[in-house]
Each structure stands twice: as structure tokens, then as C-alpha cells.
Amino acid sequence: MEVKNFAVWDYVVFAALFVISSGIGVFFAIKERKKVTSGEFLVGGRQMSSVPVALSLTASFMSAVTVLGTPAEVYRFGASFTLFFIAYSFVIIFTSELFLPVFYRSGITSTYEYLQLRFNKQVRYAATVIYIVQTILYTGVVVYAPALALNQVTGFDLWGSVFATGIVCTFYCTLGGLKAVVWTDAFQMVVMIVGFLTVLIQGSIYAGGFQNVLERATNGSRLHIVDFDGDPLRRHTFWTISVGGTFTWLGIYGVNQSTIQRCISCKTEKHAKIALYLNLVGLWVILLCAVFSGLIMYSHFQDCDPWTSGIISAPDQLMPYFVMEIFATMPGLPGLFVACAFSGTLSTVAASINALATVTFEDFIKSCFPHLSDKLSTWISKGLCLLFGILCTSMAVAASLMGGVVQASLSIHGMCGGPMLGLFSLGLLFPFVNWKGALGGLLTGITLSFWVAIGAFIYPAPASKTRPLPLSIEHCDHTNMTTSVPPVLSSRPAIAETWYALSYLYYSAVGCLGCMLAGLIISFITGHQRGKDINPLLIRPVCNLFCFWSEKYKTLCWCGVQHDRRTEQDNRENGSSWKHEAESALQNGLRKESLSQVPGYDLKDTSYNNVASEKVTHF
């Protein structure tokens, strides 16, 4: 393959991204140098506004995986990826209305603090360890995949870009904390949009107009979006994307420390919900940009697929190769696209480092050393950012073994995020579930999801289930083609054609439902939790929606939890009183210091507020 090298202007544009990102970290380090509390560093003093948080949320989860992987998915499998807009919608609704209110009103910093409030320390620690493993693995994919793709197509140095990403993220996370992460993400989100738009405009011009793009995509069966086949083994259908995608992304959004940490950094619960719904618009925009980029790319390579012909070695290199072709005579624009891809990487890695530092500090360091000074707490938090920055960068080496970036990243989230979603759902929705059920359910869910995912890695699903669309090499220059030898398939066990062939989007559902079912059964066997021992703010009484016609059945479904009006009103007016009551009622090792951070309730705004000494940045 002929590697097209960057021009000077490409390096200038790309370097500007790193310089500005680092500059934001330095700015907040200087601006906030007198605010030495760990709360300021880890959750921005709980005074963030909704717009920068929304941009940060979008940028964090629309990583280089989206910029490089999603167009390649559309190119190979068609535009059915568009159906993720349904999954995203359900995810944001469930997160903002089901999970966020409980986390926000609890006054927690780490989402896993909730598990100690609701169950006990053992459950909290188990969940924290799983989250740390999940996030380090995922971050490895996010760092390595774009670096490899860009290296092999543009000649951009592989390990240079990997270590530059790790160093810059670690630098501004360690210096500026959450505020630096959020505002840098907002800047990087703008870069991503601009990068996508340049590709869409120039690609459409190359194709002779967008009408030609749609016509060629239709002829190539790329616009067959909705397929109602109910077979769970099919890779992408309406059901796998809308149902499986909802489970997968709900594990990422609803209970993920990185997401919830940003939401609870908002000034009020209403601001947090606005941030989530604005973020939904951002998710839709990025999704559409990525899908249309894939269709334009197919239009360009319709008669000579560079992957099948051997010009490139992996589908993830399609997008960088396409960009280098259409911007061959425009110095600076390939650099803008690389900046777009690495904006996604930087935002995701920074979010991961900050979240990992937060859960480690709150769940382990603070538990062991409860009387640390504010200054020492801040320095420990910064040290943890540095440690996890090094770990996440190092994990990029292992990511080379994980296959396509989209499937690899969502598989990791499914394997770990699904059981975690099941665990939190047990706590929020089922008051009678005890700590034994929660811990047993978590282990069951992890076992099931890892079993199916590792089995699928060893025995990949057959083409009859993934159904890649045909690609042509009819008009390729055959003198430059390299022929690839098809892999020799070893004998496959019967389970490889059924259980291991399950769509990767269902891994999360398997882990979540397995966790919930096992948790319910174990709780019934070992003796259920008494509802009167559980504070009402730790349970989301969704049964009220289904039993609105009967107070008797509604109360019965509360399982003894006091969800009556008087208790709720008292909680709103008295603010922290419920936590002091919970200390005596929940005999599960709850620390006193974790009960001290309590959001107030603003009756005018009908929203919970974060109490802080001063107001800070506004967008």
C-alpha cells in the first residue's frame, strides 16, 4: 500500500489540537489553584452549567471509535446503524428519569457509593473493581485503534501518537480536574463536528452531488435500513440495534461513573437533565455525520474496494484512506480530520482517567483513610490521574488483539456494563433484594456475558449471520492488488453456531437480565431485605406508574419502603435529615463522612440543588 504522508500544514493543525487541550488544563490549574478540595477537582464544585456538560458527554462517548469505526460499519453492512437513534433516545430517557434522580439526590461522588447505601461495602467494592477493569480495557481500544489506522494510511507515527494522546490527557486531567476535562471536551466536540463536515462536503463534491451518493448507495443495498428479522444471532437488525443497543448504551450512560460524574457536577438536577437531553441531540448529529460519511465513502469506492483489493489491511483504515484521497491537494484538511479522530480519543481517555481517579479515591482511599486533609486529598487525586493515565496508555498494546474497533468497544461495554446495569436496577427497582442477591447476581451476569463474548472471540460468527454486503473490485488496478488467503476454519463446536453466534449487541442484555434474575432468586432463597430499613430516596418507585389506580396495590408494591407524601416532603424540606436516619437504619458499614454531602431542594425550581460556596463558570 502506498502511504500518503502528512504535509507541514497537517502537522500544524493536528498539533494545535494538543496545544489548545493542554492550554485549557493549564488555565484551570491556575484559575482554581486556591480551591484545593477534592470535590472541586473531581466534580467541579458541583456548579457546572448544562451546555458544556452536554458537549462533554457527547464528545466522551463519540470517540475515535465513532469517527473511524461507524463509517466503516455503514460501508460494509449498510445504513442500519441509523437505528441507533432509537436506542439513544430510550437510553437518555431512562437515564434522566430513572437513574439520575436517585444518584443526584443522594449527594454521592462515586456512583458506587450508592451500592453501599443500598447494600453493603462488599457489593460496592466488587462493582468498583469491575468498572476499573472495564474502563482500562475500553480506553486501550480507544487509544490504539485510531493510532494504528492513521499510522498505516497516513504514515503518522504509531507509538508517537499513542503516547502523545496519553501524555496530553494525563497532563490536563492532572492539572485541571473535571472542569478542564469538561471544557476541553466541549472544544473537542466542535473539532469533531467541523472535521466531519469537511469530509461530508468534499466527499459529496467528489461524488458529483449528494443525489449521486444516495443513488449509488441504493443500488449497492446500503439503504436497506429496517429489517424486522427476530433472529438474535443476526448481527444488525431492527431488534438487535433498538433493544440490544438500548441495553448496551444504558450500561454506558445510566450507571457509568464517567457519565454520572458529569451529571452530578451540574448546579441542579434540572440542569443535569437538560444536559442529558441536549447531549441526545449531539448523539443524533454525530450519528448522522458518521452514517453519511460511510455512504459517501461507499459511493467513492463503489467499483474498487480498497480493503478487498488489499490496498489497506483492515476496515478501520477505510476512513483515513478515503480522507487522504479526497484531500490530496488540500494541505491542512487531512490534519483537520486526524484532529477530529483524535478529539474523540482525547475526550474519551480524559473522561476515563478522571472517572477512574474518582472511584478509586472515593471507594478505596477515602474508605481506608477517612480523615485526610483537603490539600492531601487533592494531591492524591492528581496522583491517581497520573497513575491511570499511564495504565490506560499501556493498555493500548493489548488492544491490537481485539478486532474491529466498534465491535471491540461495544463488546467490552456489554460484557461489563450489562451486569453493572442489572446490579443497579436490582437496587433501584426491587426493594426486597438483599446484598447476597446483589452480589450473586453481579457474579452470575459477569460470568454469562464473559462466557458468550470470549466464545464469540474464539469462534467468530459465520458470514450467514453477520451478512456483510457485497463489495466490488471490478475497476481496480489489478497490478497493485494483493490477494489474501482466506482463513482455514477449524472444526467448530455446536455451541459456536448458537450461543457464541449471538449478536454482540446482546452481550449487555445477557449480563443485565442474568444478573437481575439471579439476584431475585437468591434474595428470595436467603430472605428478602426489609423495606422499612431502606431510605425512600434510594428506590425509584416505578410501580406508581402501573398502580396509579389503586393506593392499596401501590403501597403493596413498595414492599414496606415509606414512599408516602409526608416522608418525601420532609426529605425535600429538611435536606440532610434522611441521611442521618439512614445511618441507623442501614446497618451496612456506611461511613459518616459520606453522609455529609447533601444536595438541597429548591421549591421554586422544583429541583434539587448542589450546595456550594460560590458559583463558577457559565457557558
Side-chain angles (χ1 to χ4, degrees), residues 108-274:
I108 59 177
T109 301
S110 160
T111 50
Y112 307 105
E113 284 182 65
Y114 169 82
L115 296 175
Q116 184 172 338
L117 283 164
R118 176 65 179 83
F119 299 115
N120 63 13
K121 278 187 177 182
Q122 286 75 17
V123 178
R124 176 183 181 176
Y125 291 157
T128 303
V129 168
I130 291 168
Y131 170 75
I132 290 172
V133 172
Q134 168 196 357
T135 306
I136 292 175
L137 281 173
Y138 172 66
T139 308
V141 175
V142 169
V143 171
Y144 180 78
L148 177 66
L150 293 163
N151 160 260
Q152 297 193 351
V153 175
T154 66
F156 205 73
D157 184 71
L158 173 62
W159 293 109
S161 58
V162 166
F163 288 115
T165 301
I167 290 167
V168 170
C169 287
T170 306
F171 177 75
Y172 70 74
C173 280
T174 305
L175 280 181
L178 184 74
K179 286 182 183 175
V181 173
V182 167
W183 282 102
T184 309
D185 285 353
F187 161 68
Q188 289 160 0
M189 177 66 187
V190 174
V191 174
M192 287 175 71
I193 295 289
V194 172
F196 263 132
L197 288 177
T198 57
V199 172
L200 291 172
I201 293 167
Q202 181 66 9
S204 298
I205 292 170
Y206 250 74
F210 199 66
Q211 188 63 39
N212 287 346
V213 171
L214 293 178
E215 188 177 324
R216 291 170 191 169
T218 303
N219 294 337
S221 303
R222 261 62 187 178
L223 290 183
H224 181 58
I225 295 174
V226 181
D227 180 354
F228 288 106
D229 188 347
D231 184 0
L233 308 185
R234 287 279 308 281
R235 191 169 189 272
H236 285 166
T237 65
F238 176 85
W239 304 112
T240 55
I241 294 177
S242 58
V243 177
T246 298
F247 273 98
T248 301
W249 280 92
L250 196 54
I252 297 171
Y253 261 79
V255 298
N256 188 291
Q257 171 66 23
S258 187
T259 307
I260 299 301
Q261 186 173 340
R262 281 160 176 66
C263 292
I264 62 178
S265 73
C266 289
K267 289 181 287 190
T268 67
E269 185 183 321
K270 184 176 285 186
H271 272 82
K273 286 186 176 182
I274 291 171

Side-chain angles (χ1 to χ4, degrees), residues 282-295:
L283 292 177
W284 285 343
V285 170
I286 295 289
L287 176 65
L288 288 176
C289 285
V291 168
F292 283 127
S293 294
L295 295 176

Side-chain angles (χ1 to χ4, degrees), residues 294-489:
L295 295 176
I296 290 171
M297 190 161 61
Y298 173 75
S299 171
H300 186 76
F301 294 127
Q302 184 181 21
D303 297 321
C304 180
D305 169 44
W307 180 46
T308 311
S309 62
I311 298 172
I312 59 174
S313 58
D316 298 327
Q317 297 168 15
L318 280 164
M319 192 67 176
Y321 182 76
F322 172 62
V323 166
M324 293 303 288
E325 282 214 345
I326 63 174
F327 291 134
T329 58
M330 299 179 177
L333 289 180
L336 179 62
F337 172 76
V338 172
C340 168
F342 273 90
S343 287
T345 297
L346 287 171
S347 59
T348 304
V349 175
S352 298
I353 291 171
N354 196 255
L356 287 167
T358 302
V359 296
T360 306
F361 180 78
E362 291 292 331
D363 296 349
F364 294 118
I365 307 293
K366 234 177 170 181
S367 293
C368 299
F369 306 100
H371 303 298
L372 293 171
S373 68
D374 283 339
K375 190 170 185 179
L376 184 58
S377 296
T378 305
W379 278 109
I380 291 172
S381 300
K382 292 185 176 185
L384 288 170
C385 282
L386 184 62
L387 171 66
F388 283 116
I390 295 168
L391 276 176
C392 290
T393 308
S394 305
M395 187 52 62
V397 179
S400 59
L401 306 172
M402 295 185 184
V405 291
V406 171
Q407 183 163 337
S409 62
L410 291 183
S411 295
I412 291 167
H413 278 311
M415 289 155 61
C416 299
M420 209 74 81
L421 175 62
L423 175 62
F424 279 96
S425 298
L426 283 172
L428 268 77
L429 302 178
F430 301 99
F432 53 83
V433 172
N434 60 27
W435 72 268
K436 296 172 186 173
L439 197 56
L442 178 62
L443 294 176
T444 303
I446 285 287
T447 303
L448 286 173
S449 55
F450 268 74
W451 177 22
V452 64
I454 293 172
F457 180 74
I458 297 170
Y459 300 103
S464 60
K465 297 300 179 186
T466 58
R467 298 195 186 180
L469 295 170
L471 298 166
S472 171
I473 55 171
E474 186 179 345
H475 292 168
C476 287
D477 181 1
H478 292 273
T479 58
N480 293 330
M481 285 176 54
T482 59
T483 56
S484 57
V485 180
V488 179
L489 294 177

